[in-house]
Amino acid sequence: MTPPSAVAREALNRAKAAARAKGLRPGSPARRSPLAEPRLSGQGPGARDPQLLSEVVGRLMRDKGWTADVSVGGVIGRWREVVGDQVADHCQPETFEQKVLVVRADSTAWATQVRLLVPTLLRRLEEEIGEGVVEQVTVLGPAGPGFRRGRRSVRGPGPRDTYG
């Protein structure tokens, strides 16, 4: 007859092996969802109670650090309202990375005009999305034709090479 302690030890080893097979680690603290709130004792709403979508999405954006990018995305979506009809007809935002907003104008004259309006544009963006989100505005002129593809493309230095 086997002693009861050996039977209990054998059952414990089988349970540990089954837990490892499922990917669980016996003895480690239980993993919780990163979106779950800490449990509150007593009355009041808990983590499993229904919540407003705006609160859940707002908390997710704060936790992931997406608040500034979402704010700039909202301004880019309302570009015409932020900069006005006349400027919006001639320039469009292209990218926003590392606190730099890149804007492309449809002509060199409008690129110069928008470069002169950059301080006003920065102030307006600061009013819309907050201070320090956009620190610099880079204005690009129109994109010229490229000679890398098509019937007139050549290998080597390119079609504008006149030396040698």
Side-chain angles (χ1 to χ4, degrees), residues 22-23 44 68 86 89 97 101 111 138 146 162:
K22 290 181 183 178
Q86 192 174 19
D89 287 340
E97 292 176 353
L101 178 66
T138 303
T162 58

Side-chain angles (χ1 to χ4, degrees), residues 40-55:
L40 301 173
S41 61
Q43 294 180 345
R48 297 184 64 184
D49 289 338
Q51 299 175 15
L52 295 175
L53 181 63
S54 62
E55 291 175 8

